[in-house]
Amino acid sequence: MNVAVWIPLLLPLVAGPAARRLAEALPPRAAAWLLAGSAVVLAGCSTAALALLAGAGALQMPPIAALGHLRLPVVGDEVTVPAACLATALLTYVAVAFVRTARRHTVLTARARRAAARDGSAAGDLTVLQDPGPDAYALPGRPGRIVVTTGMLRALDPEEREALLAHERAHLAGRHHLFLSALALSAACHPVLRMLSAPLSYALERWADESAAAAVGDRRLAARAIGRAALAARPSARAGVALSATAGPVPRRVAALLAAAPAPQLRARTPRMIAAVLAACLALSAACALEAAHDLHGSIEVAQGEP
């Protein structure tokens, strides 16, 4: 097993901060795709590297080598077996974390949907809860639901309610919960990727903010609705399983809506350099994982006596 197998495990330490920095220079939609996509690629390559290390060590075991009719040693790297033991332990941890994260998201979302169906009155995609505490959020599923309490409806005027509901509908239309799920599962595979969680959440909220502003045709109205909803909102137990207009750094989001210029573009030299670094990290991670797989395959062919 050559040194290439280790590189995908280390590159998230460089690519993560680069993706986070680059996202600040992109429009919200592009930033969300960048952060989620980068996390998935980095997590996939690092997990593949662990699997290759564990597999290389397993092939050194006589029972497994006998099954494949391999001549030992399959690979002549003296650190393969110790590295494989460590990789197997890490891969087990990754598998457990991945399953627990997926199960947690599924259970909490189902629980929130059952509570909304039990306690609320539905009309179209909207569910209204008889609750004096102001709250509003989008619940993914089939169909997606927008849940709002009577307390939140009373806290806003009719135009602000329209802007708030447009924000939540943008979350459902953009399937933003899939971005959050992809990042959560990626972070389960490589904990360093957790640093992208807050930037992704902000990018998704800004994406929905801009969609709401376009839907109501008034950026100031959208900013006012989000600000007033955030001031009125209360902490909610469904945090982490639903998307809400009151989440994230609201003052920063309101300031972005009130800014004269739209979302920033990638023009400066520094963001271009960061983009090049990130692209190189993603390409190198994938290339190294493929090279390690090719190297292991070649070793197996040699051990089988093939030319």
Side-chain angles (χ1 to χ4, degrees), residues 66-278:
L67 288 175
H69 306 288
L70 307 178
R71 295 195 306 268
L72 292 176
V74 175
V75 286
D77 186 351
E78 64 275 8
V79 302
T80 295
V81 173
C85 292
L86 177 60
T88 301
L90 291 175
L91 198 59
T92 302
Y93 170 82
V94 164
V96 171
F98 189 95
V99 171
R100 289 183 63 182
T101 299
R103 183 177 182 277
R104 177 180 178 274
H105 276 249
T106 301
V107 169
L108 292 181
T109 301
R111 186 180 300 168
R113 287 181 64 86
R114 286 196 301 269
R118 182 185 66 244
D119 302 329
S121 54
D125 64 350
L126 181 65
T127 297
V128 178
L129 298 179
Q130 298 296 323
D131 188 339
D135 201 5
Y137 49 92
L139 277 177
R142 295 184 179 179
R145 306 295 304 169
I146 299 169
V147 181
V148 62
T149 64
T150 52
M152 180 62 81
L153 293 176
R154 284 193 292 267
L156 305 177
D157 64 34
E159 290 183 335
E160 291 167 348
R161 293 174 202 160
E162 182 183 354
L164 179 68
L165 295 179
H167 175 103
E168 302 302 347
R169 287 193 176 98
H171 280 316
L172 295 178
R175 303 181 70 82
H176 292 174
H177 63 285
L178 295 180
F179 290 79
L180 293 178
S181 297
L183 183 56
L185 294 173
S186 297
C189 296
H190 201 302
V192 169
L193 297 174
R194 290 174 187 165
M195 71 172 67
L196 302 182
S197 179
L200 177 60
S201 178
Y202 174 73
L204 292 174
E205 292 303 330
R206 284 285 299 119
W207 182 352
D209 290 344
E210 293 295 333
S211 297
V216 300
D218 188 338
R219 297 177 66 84
R220 295 186 66 85
L221 171 60
R224 188 173 75 244
I226 291 165
R228 290 190 64 183
L231 288 173
R234 63 177 185 181
S236 175
R238 50 82 200 158
V241 300
L243 290 146
S244 171
T246 61
V250 174
R252 184 180 170 196
R253 290 167 49 204
V254 169
L257 279 171
L258 295 177
Q265 302 297 320
L266 186 59
R267 294 176 181 172
R269 180 178 178 182
T270 298
R272 289 186 182 277
M273 294 174 60
I274 296 173
V277 170
L278 177 60

Side-chain angles (χ1 to χ4, degrees), residues 270-299:
T270 298
R272 289 186 182 277
M273 294 174 60
I274 296 173
V277 170
L278 177 60
C281 287
L282 296 176
L284 182 60
S285 185
C288 287
L290 290 173
E291 171 59 27
H294 182 267
D295 179 68
L296 180 59
H297 181 263
S299 298

Side-chain angles (χ1 to χ4, degrees), residues 22-43:
L22 182 59
E24 297 175 357
L26 292 174
R29 182 171 183 168
W33 278 103
L34 171 83
L35 292 166
S38 298
V40 169
V41 171
L42 293 168

